[in-house]
């Protein structure tokens, strides 16, 4: 199968520091792939290598089977960089026209394409405004418009929600899902875990230049469901009893605490323990580990030197 | 079409820069100087040299002045053509498109050369027009001399673009001017017969003259054409053509090589 993005043993070193260390990744056609990681994990470096803006120290990568070093590989790729910089003296329309010509869109189609993109990002009314006069959010929208020009087969977005207001978030999510339905592959590089969780089919978590976990949203967590309890009057005897029940799988956050139980029936026992120990249960619910929790857990463990033999 | 898109943007970018108009105005002063084609009204000097000689000196000063400022303009524009796009982050959005880095360099550099050549052409034609008004005749010597300088300016732009990838971009035009002046200086004894009496070029100067880009030769050929001399008697035209072609190739390939290695 030909992947939209395929990276093999990709390494990028800056002196002795490995920004990317043996990255193997395959993004399927037509999926939304989330690429997560803390600051400095190497996410943007990976994207830049894929687009041949940065050169890998070793390893190889392909876009739709084409070596990334060839300009042809980027023929059907739309890219939104983090903190996009655009010539400030151009109007939005001129900027999009410039990119249409770079992509090679037929001159007859350029106007239609520009109109569609401006409509998609709600910038029709300011199309003649100079880029230098745009707000951060509008600049980001202009960047998104250039990325989706010419209906790319692969859309690479580096922190696309940066500077967008909540309406912008929602519109971007709708746009991405619409593009996915048309067969576009979307590679989403983001810190906004809730957005990634809502839109992505598969996710990879990167930390210190290495992929520490990847897979579909359901495959990622090995913890299953947990019981989330909001209670008052948490005390030591209560903690001891719950730790025995959950085999020390208790995470206490003050008023909140999460208990990882293998048996759903044990929730009744937990309730009883809290009440008998003089506590008061406000709520008690079964939840799956969110992407944010998983991300925090994995990255934190990695930073503390755990997970030495990661999967 | 891709290069054309870059050229259009590049032209717009160049024309937005005040330095273009500022240098054009300075050069225009030299054209006005040539307008009278007369060195002035200082009597002490005017009886020492004849009218023709006076015209020649004025034309020469005007010509060299215009060329110097055109060179400055080209250098200032060429020094930031790639580096500014890289530093400001504009290049990464453009190069994420199906565009080779060679095309990017060409698309960015051509507008600089076009603007510099256009500046020289306008000044050249004004020069022609004023000469016509004074002399009552059109001479092809003026456009021909400016044509030679266009070649020099193109080579200079390429050299500055190349230098800007290795040294700070503000220093590149300065380094370029030093090289240019050095080339002119090493060419002096080959074009001025009277100078040979005073100065026999040493081996080092001869070597420099042979190895440096032939900016000086082109400039003095242009000036000689303008004054009606026979410039090609002093030098080997084939050697000059080869020197220019080799340097143009070297500057281009080094620029392309260095830019391809750059990470954006």
């Amino acid at each position: 199968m030909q992947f939209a993005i395929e990276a093999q043993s990709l390494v990028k070193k800056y002196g002795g520091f490995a920004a990317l260390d043996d990255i193997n990744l395959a993004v399927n056609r037509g999926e939304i792939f989330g690429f997560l990681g803390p600051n400095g994990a190497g996410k943007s470096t990976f994207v830049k290598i894929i687009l041949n803006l940065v050169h890998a120290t070793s390893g190889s990568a392909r876009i739709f089977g084409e070596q990334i070093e060839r300009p042809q590989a980027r023929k059907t790729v739309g890219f939104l960089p983090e903190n996009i910089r655009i010539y400030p003296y151009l109007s939005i329309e001129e900027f999009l026209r410039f990119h249409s010509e770079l992509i090679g869109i037929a001159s007859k189609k350029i106007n239609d394409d520009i109109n569609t993109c401006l409509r998609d990002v709600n910038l029709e009314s300011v199309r003649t405004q100079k880029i230098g006069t745009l707000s951060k959010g509008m600049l980001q929208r202009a960047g998104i418009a250039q990325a989706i020009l010419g209906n790319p087969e692969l859309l690479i977005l580096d922190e696309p929600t940066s500077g967008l207001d909540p309406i912008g978030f929602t519109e971007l999510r709708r746009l991405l899902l619409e593009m996915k339905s048309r067969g576009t592959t979307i590679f989403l590089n983001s810190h906004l875990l809730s957005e990634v969780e809502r839109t992505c089919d598969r996710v990879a978590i990167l930390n210190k230049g290495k992929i520490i976990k990847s897979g579909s949203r359901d495959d990622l967590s090995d913890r299953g469901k947990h019981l989330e309890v909001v209670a008052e009057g948490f005390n030591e005897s209560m903690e001891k009893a719950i730790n025995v029940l959950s085999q020390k799988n208790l995470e206490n956050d003050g008023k909140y605490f999460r208990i990882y139980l293998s048996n759903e029936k044990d929730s009744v026992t937990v309730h009883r323990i809290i009440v008998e120990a003089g506590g008061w249960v406000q709520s008690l619910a079964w939840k799956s580990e969110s992407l944010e929790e998983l991300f925090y857990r994995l990255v934190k463990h990695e930073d503390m030197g755990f997970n030495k033999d990661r999967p | 079409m891709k290069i054309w898109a870059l050229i259009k943007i590049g032209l717009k970018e160049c024309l937005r820069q005040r330095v273009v108009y500022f240098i054009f105005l300075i050069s225009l002063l030299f054209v006005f100087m040539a307008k009278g084609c007369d060195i002035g009204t200082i009597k002490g000097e005017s009886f020492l040299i004849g009218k023709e000689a006076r015209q020649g000196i004025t034309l020469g000063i005007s010509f060299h002045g215009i060329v110097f400022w055109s060179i400055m303009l080209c250098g200032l524009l060429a020094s930031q053509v790639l580096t500014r796009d890289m530093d400001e982050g504009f290049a990464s959005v453009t190069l994420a498109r199906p565009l080779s880095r060679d095309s990017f360099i060409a698309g960015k550099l051509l507008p600089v050369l076009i603007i510099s050549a256009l500046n020289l052409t306008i000044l050249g034609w004004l020069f022609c027009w004023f000469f016509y008004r004074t002399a009552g005749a059109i001479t092809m010597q003026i456009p021909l001399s400016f044509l030679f300088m266009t070649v020099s300016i193109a080579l200079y732009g390429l050299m500055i673009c190349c230098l800007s990838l290795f040294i700070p971009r503000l220093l590149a035009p300065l380094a370029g001017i030093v090289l240019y002046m050095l080339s002119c200086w090493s060419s002096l004894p080959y074009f001025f017969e009277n100078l040979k009496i005073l100065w026999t070029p040493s081996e080092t100067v001869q070597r420099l003259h042979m190895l440096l880009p032939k900016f000086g030769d082109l400039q003095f050929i242009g000036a000689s054409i303008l004054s009606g001399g026979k410039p090609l008697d002093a030098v080997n035209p084939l050697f000059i053509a080869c020197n220019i072609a080799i340097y143009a190739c070297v500057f281009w390939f080094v620029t392309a090589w260095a830019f391809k290695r750059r990470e954006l």
Side-chain angles (χ1 to χ4, degrees), chain A residues 63-271:
Chain A
I63 295 177
F64 296 118
E66 196 93 54
Q67 287 289 348
I68 51 164
E69 289 79 15
R70 300 188 61 193
Q72 209 59 16
R74 300 186 294 278
K75 199 178 175 194
T76 53
V77 178
F79 170 54
L80 173 72
E82 188 181 10
N83 302 323
I84 186 167
R85 300 296 307 272
I86 309 170
Y87 300 111
Y89 51 85
L90 295 181
S91 71
I92 299 175
E93 193 172 346
E94 285 169 331
F95 169 61
L96 295 180
R97 191 170 296 280
F98 168 56
H99 275 269
S100 304
E101 288 172 3
L102 288 181
I103 301 168
I105 299 174
S107 48
K108 283 179 189 168
K109 264 194 76 199
I110 286 179
N111 280 338
D112 289 344
D113 267 32
I114 291 174
N115 289 338
T116 311
C117 290
L118 288 173
R119 201 166 45 240
D120 283 342
V121 296
N122 263 337
L123 282 181
E124 276 173 304
S125 57
V126 289
R127 60 194 301 155
T128 52
Q129 202 170 319
K130 298 281 181 217
I131 300 279
T133 64
L134 296 179
S135 68
K136 193 167 186 281
M138 282 164 90
L139 184 69
Q140 189 71 356
R141 284 167 189 257
I144 295 169
Q146 71 76 34
I148 61 173
L149 258 179
N151 280 322
E153 285 179 44
L154 170 64
L155 188 60
I156 299 176
L157 305 172
D158 197 352
E159 300 295 349
T161 48
S162 159
L164 291 182
D165 56 19
I167 297 169
F169 274 30
T170 316
E171 285 172 356
L172 179 65
R173 191 189 314 129
R174 177 192 52 77
L175 181 67
L176 295 185
L177 293 173
E178 194 184 304
M179 290 189 77
K180 189 201 165 193
S181 70
R182 292 203 299 259
T184 308
T185 309
I186 299 163
F187 187 87
L188 195 60
N189 197 346
S190 179
H191 282 120
L192 218 67
L193 300 171
S194 56
E195 279 303 308
V196 171
E197 189 161 27
R198 286 176 82 163
T199 47
C200 292
D201 302 309
R202 286 198 310 138
V203 173
I205 298 175
L206 190 75
N207 191 31
K208 292 178 181 169
K210 291 186 176 190
I211 292 180
I212 52 175
K213 199 96 179 175
S214 69
S216 69
R217 179 60 201 87
D218 295 333
D219 298 341
L220 282 179
S221 180
D222 47 8
R223 281 195 150 179
K225 285 188 172 182
H226 65 267
L227 188 67
E228 192 172 273
V229 183
V230 182
E232 277 179 23
F234 191 80
N235 55 45
E236 217 171 287
S237 65
M238 199 188 286
E239 188 175 356
K240 269 184 191 169
I242 294 173
N243 263 333
V244 170
L245 184 73
S246 66
Q247 293 165 335
K248 293 201 171 178
N249 263 325
L250 169 74
E251 282 173 13
N252 183 6
D253 232 351
K255 194 175 176 183
Y256 267 99
F257 52 98
R258 293 183 193 86
I259 309 159
Y260 294 89
L261 296 169
S262 48
N263 190 347
E264 288 196 15
K265 285 176 186 169
D266 287 341
S267 59
V268 182
T269 318
V270 169
H271 186 268

Side-chain angles (χ1 to χ4, degrees), chain A residues 12 14 48 52-55 71 74 77 79 85-87 89-90 94 98-99 101-103 146, chain B residues 1-2 5 8-9 12-13 16 85 88 90 93-99 101 108 260 263-264:
Chain A
K12 176 65 189 174
Y14 292 102
K48 285 182 175 180
N52 201 34
L53 299 173
V54 165
H55 311 299
R74 300 186 294 278
V77 178
F79 170 54
R85 300 296 307 272
I86 309 170
Y87 300 111
Y89 51 85
L90 295 181
E94 285 169 331
F98 168 56
H99 275 269
E101 288 172 3
L102 288 181
I103 301 168
Q146 71 76 34
Chain B
M1 186 167 174
K2 287 171 192 172
K8 281 192 288 184
I9 294 287
K12 200 166 185 174
E13 195 178 338
R16 274 188 74 252
D85 268 38
E88 302 273 336
F90 302 140
V93 190
T94 310
L95 282 166
R97 294 295 178 197
L99 184 76
R101 294 209 178 187
K108 295 298 290 183
K260 275 177 194 167
E263 302 199 326
L264 304 165

